[in-house]
Amino acid sequence: MDNNLEHKTIKSFMTTDLITVGPAAHIKEVIRLFTEKAVSGIPVVDAANKLLGVVTKKDLIDALLPTYLDLMEHVDFIEDFGHMELDIFEEFDNPLFIAADMMNAHPVTVTQDCTLLKAAALMNKNNVEALLVVIGGKLTGVFALTDLCKALFTLTQ
Amino acid sequence: MNAHVFFIFSGFIICYALIVTDRFPRASVALATASFFIIAGFTNLETAWRDYIDFRTLALLTGMMIVVAILKRTGIFQYIALKMAKLAGGEPRRLFIYFAVITALLSAFLDNVTTVLIVAPITLLVCETLRKNPFPFLFMEIIASNIGGTATLIGDPPNILIGSAARFSFNAFIANLTPIVIIVFCLSLAIVWLIFKKEMEVSPLDKRRLFAFDERKALKDPRFLKRSSIVLVFILMGFFAHRMLHIEPASVAFAGGAFLLLATGLNPNEVFKELEWGTLFFFIGLFIVVGTLDSIGAIRCVAAFLTVWTQAPAVLIMIVLWVAAFLSTIFGSIPVTVALIPLVREVATQVRFAPVEMQAAWWALALGACFGGNGSIIASAANVVVADIADKAGHHITFKRYISYAIPLTLGSIILSSVYIWIRYLL
């Protein structure tokens, strides 16, 4: 293999055809995008394409569940969440529940000259499935775990 | 007044003022002040190590933290809380009493923070299932954890400190404090129950939902639970019989933690991660700060000032009780107890307390500091934890609403304690 991984940057492998939402996008819109596109997270950007945050599927789970469940050692004794199940749908019907409410406002960002290995290390360290590629605060691409796999596949052929 | 006295005194004041403002983590403030005293040469590491730091307190705290961190993993406490909810038949008025009792009982043997970390999430879950506002339940649990913790040597940090300073046995705490704790608990429970009684109606359908909880599923690993329970029985026997066996309570706790680690085969590093290192280092910092303050005679001065004003032991003991309660409401019970222990000792020597008066003074300090922990939302760590959990679950407990119920209850408990100490030790 003459391609040296060390000198490959994410630039040629990142996704630039991006799916994004505005901060005021309703949560149902975010959920719809998750069902239609195979992405782990959706970047939240303003009108000038400035990156504000990211909503991941994990954030969606967190929004569904009461926070105090985190504090319990186990939850499998709960057989019936009862009306809490219904409350979720009510909450998701609330027109004021928007992307900005559940996004992570401090996503892991990189520049496009980041090497593959560094990108892998960052994903691993921060326990995320995708890195957001920015130039001067503006979103230019997404480098996801699938992109890393593609890169590795191409380079090792 | 020479320069180093001025610096030590100001260092102490700034340290305690910063603890109240809560701008920085308490442990950092106490450690920084202690380090300042050491670097400036007001004290040195050797003296701090040998004379100021109370290793008995640290060993007892660390030992119990290990024991609790392991027992928590068995799920037994969750099991008990859920069982209680079912026993109450989902009837909120009974549930309220059962949860308060279980909180008080658990906190008598576990630290208060652990107790509320176990009970509060289950309370929120049960309240949401029953569509009830959790405020009355959470409020009562704060009160119950502070009152229940007062009953035993290991229940609350002030008691651990006092037990170590006065060399009281585990049983001495039960014999002297449990009676008044039961009285105060029952009265507080009755009062809070009456206040919130009207809000406690629930539909039969929601009650049924509660019975769908399967508490046995909270118990994960029966073998693990069995081994832990056996060691726990030995630890409790050790506490009850430590005087007879000539072992200190701190040694019982420390050995208990060690054997529990060994018996369960858990990775110690995993368990150690769960210890409250912040609290342990907070103690270390405070011991050095107060020890240094004591070394320049500051505490003797305060004691002398007090005894000029009155020499009557009974009056001095009541002052200890009320001052401890008042200051704990503001500063929190740990820093107040660390500072008041040398003061009580000093006053006792200057006025020559009789042994029974000496005892009464220690119990007064314990009751004042522990019950004072109910006075405000920041007065004890358990209060802050419950407020945080409630906040995250969307049920904000406001400072004003909390103290509007808590201050009268605290005052009542201190009045009852005064009467108790008076009748039992001073008549």
Side-chain angles (χ1 to χ4, degrees):
Chain A
M1 187 178 75
D2 39 56
N3 284 312
N4 191 345
L5 268 181
E6 202 185 338
H7 300 298
K8 289 288 172 193
T9 65
I10 59 173
K11 191 178 175 190
S12 46
F13 299 103
M14 69 186 191
T15 310
T16 47
D17 179 19
L18 298 173
I19 303 152
T20 61
V21 290
H26 191 262
I27 213 64
K28 283 184 171 171
E29 167 68 8
V30 178
I31 297 172
R32 187 183 63 80
L33 286 171
F34 275 132
T35 61
E36 288 173 4
K37 319 278 178 186
V39 290
S40 60
I42 299 172
V44 182
V45 292
D46 68 7
N49 206 33
K50 191 169 163 282
L51 180 66
L52 301 173
V54 65
V55 180
T56 62
K57 287 177 186 161
K58 177 81 172 56
D59 295 326
L60 199 63
I61 293 179
D62 289 341
L64 284 174
L65 292 173
T67 46
Y68 54 82
L69 288 185
D70 280 353
L71 294 164
M72 293 186 183
E73 209 81 2
H74 317 294
V75 289
D76 38 6
F77 60 85
I78 309 168
E79 302 287 347
D80 182 5
F81 275 95
H83 52 78
M84 276 186 260
E85 309 259 3
L86 297 172
D87 291 349
I88 289 164
F89 297 109
E90 242 168 65
E91 209 172 312
F92 278 65
D93 274 332
N94 186 340
L96 296 176
F97 195 3
I98 55 172
D101 292 331
M102 62 187 295
M103 72 180 185
N104 167 12
H106 302 282
V108 186
T109 61
V110 286
T111 53
Q112 53 186 6
D113 50 5
C114 174
T115 63
L116 288 178
L117 213 52
K118 179 165 183 194
L122 283 171
M123 284 191 230
N124 187 8
K125 277 288 161 203
N126 295 292
N127 202 12
V128 290
E129 280 182 49
L131 302 170
L132 300 177
V133 187
V134 289
I135 298 174
K138 298 206 170 171
L139 185 70
T140 55
V142 170
F143 186 72
L145 207 47
T146 20
D147 299 321
L148 180 69
C149 291
K150 275 179 207 155
L152 294 175
F153 182 73
T154 331
L155 294 170
T156 49
Q157 280 307 297
Chain B
M1 184 159 51
N2 53 29
H4 86 277
V5 170
F6 171 78
F7 278 120
I8 291 172
F9 196 68
S10 336
F12 171 78
I13 300 281
I14 292 170
C15 175
Y16 273 57
L18 284 177
I19 290 171
V20 181
T21 58
D22 211 23
R23 282 278 299 278
F24 304 97
R26 305 182 307 167
S28 315
V29 171
L31 280 178
T33 317
S35 310
F36 165 67
F37 286 175
I38 291 168
I39 289 167
F42 302 147
T43 181
N44 55 57
L45 271 180
E46 207 193 320
T47 318
W49 192 259
R50 205 186 46 223
D51 301 336
Y52 299 162
I53 298 175
D54 179 7
F55 285 100
R56 218 174 282 119
T57 295
L58 294 180
L60 186 44
L61 278 169
T62 317
M64 284 316 289
M65 282 177 188
I66 295 174
V67 170
V68 169
I70 295 176
L71 288 180
K72 236 172 34 183
R73 293 171 178 236
T74 62
I76 184 75
F77 303 126
Q78 266 193 1
Y79 173 84
I80 295 171
L82 287 165
K83 191 91 198 163
M84 278 293 176
K86 279 192 172 181
L87 278 177
E91 176 58 52
R93 290 178 186 172
R94 269 166 53 200
L95 202 63
F96 180 80
I97 295 171
Y98 286 15
F99 270 177
V101 170
I102 201 71
T103 311
L105 278 177
L106 283 179
S107 72
F109 294 97
L110 313 176
D111 68 289
N112 295 351
V113 172
T114 308
T115 306
V116 296
L117 272 176
I118 292 160
V119 182
I122 299 223
T123 307
L124 283 164
L125 175 70
V126 168
C127 283
E128 276 200 38
T129 310
L130 297 175
R131 291 176 192 265
K132 286 281 97 189
N133 179 356
F135 178 81
F137 294 86
L138 294 176
F139 176 77
M140 191 59 221
E141 282 161 17
I142 294 178
I143 303 288
S145 78
N146 288 321
I147 296 177
T150 315
T152 66
L153 167 68
I154 53 172
D156 218 359
N159 285 2
I160 298 180
L161 285 161
I162 293 162
S164 166
R167 302 295 187 100
F168 285 144
S169 70
F170 188 84
N171 295 340
F173 274 88
I174 294 184
N176 290 281
L177 295 182
T178 304
I180 179 69
V181 164
I182 291 174
I183 296 170
V184 168
F185 175 72
C186 291
L187 281 174
S188 308
L189 181 61
I191 292 167
V192 182
W193 189 83
L194 284 174
I195 295 174
F196 293 110
K197 194 177 73 168
K198 278 191 209 121
E199 297 179 24
M200 301 201 183
E201 298 292 340
V202 83
S203 80
L205 174 71
D206 290 329
K207 270 186 213 170
R208 236 174 292 141
R209 287 219 168 88
L210 203 61
F211 284 90
F213 289 163
D214 186 356
E215 72 276 9
R216 277 162 309 174
K217 285 197 177 154
L219 298 174
K220 276 288 133 173
D221 183 345
R223 258 184 59 211
F224 181 73
L225 176 64
K226 206 170 149 191
R227 288 181 183 181
S228 313
S229 312
I230 293 171
V231 181
L232 180 66
V233 169
F234 277 105
I235 295 173
L236 288 176
M237 282 179 0
F239 277 131
F240 286 119
H242 76 88
R243 259 291 142 83
M244 265 161 36
L245 302 167
H246 302 286
I247 311 171
E248 293 194 46
S251 314
V252 173
F254 212 73
F259 286 124
L260 207 45
L261 274 174
L262 197 64
T264 54
L266 289 169
N267 177 356
N269 287 330
E270 291 293 316
V271 178
F272 293 159
K273 266 185 214 155
E274 287 177 38
L275 303 197
E276 288 161 60
W277 294 104
T279 308
L280 292 170
F281 280 103
F282 182 49
F283 271 103
I284 293 175
L286 282 177
F287 283 139
I288 299 175
V289 171
V290 173
T292 312
L293 185 76
D294 195 13
S295 73
I296 55 166
I299 288 168
R300 207 174 313 130
C301 280
V302 177
F305 175 78
L306 259 177
T307 51
V308 162
W309 192 63
T310 173
Q311 295 266 349
V315 179
L316 286 166
I317 288 164
M318 289 302 144
I319 292 176
V320 168
L321 175 67
W322 284 85
V323 166
F326 176 71
L327 293 180
S328 291
T329 300
I330 300 168
F331 292 96
S333 55
I334 294 171
V336 169
T337 314
V338 174
L340 287 184
I341 282 174
L343 183 68
V344 168
R345 233 189 229 133
E346 193 59 49
V347 168
T349 351
Q350 288 184 11
V351 186
R352 302 223 175 101
F353 274 0
V356 66
E357 289 161 352
M358 189 66 243
Q359 261 206 42
W362 290 126
W363 302 131
L365 178 58
L367 291 171
C370 292
F371 289 164
N374 271 330
S376 74
I377 212 117
I378 55 155
S380 105
N383 310 8
V384 181
V385 168
V386 174
D388 275 353
I389 298 174
D391 222 16
K392 277 196 202 135
H395 300 280
H396 184 62
I397 299 178
T398 63
F399 194 81
K400 229 172 132 186
R401 183 157 191 217
Y402 179 82
I403 56 169
S404 65
Y405 298 114
I407 295 273
L409 281 176
T410 310
L411 270 178
S413 67
I414 300 298
I415 293 170
L416 280 173
S417 304
S418 310
V419 175
Y420 175 77
I421 286 182
W422 189 273
I423 293 175
R424 179 148 183 195
Y425 305 100
L426 303 174
L427 266 187

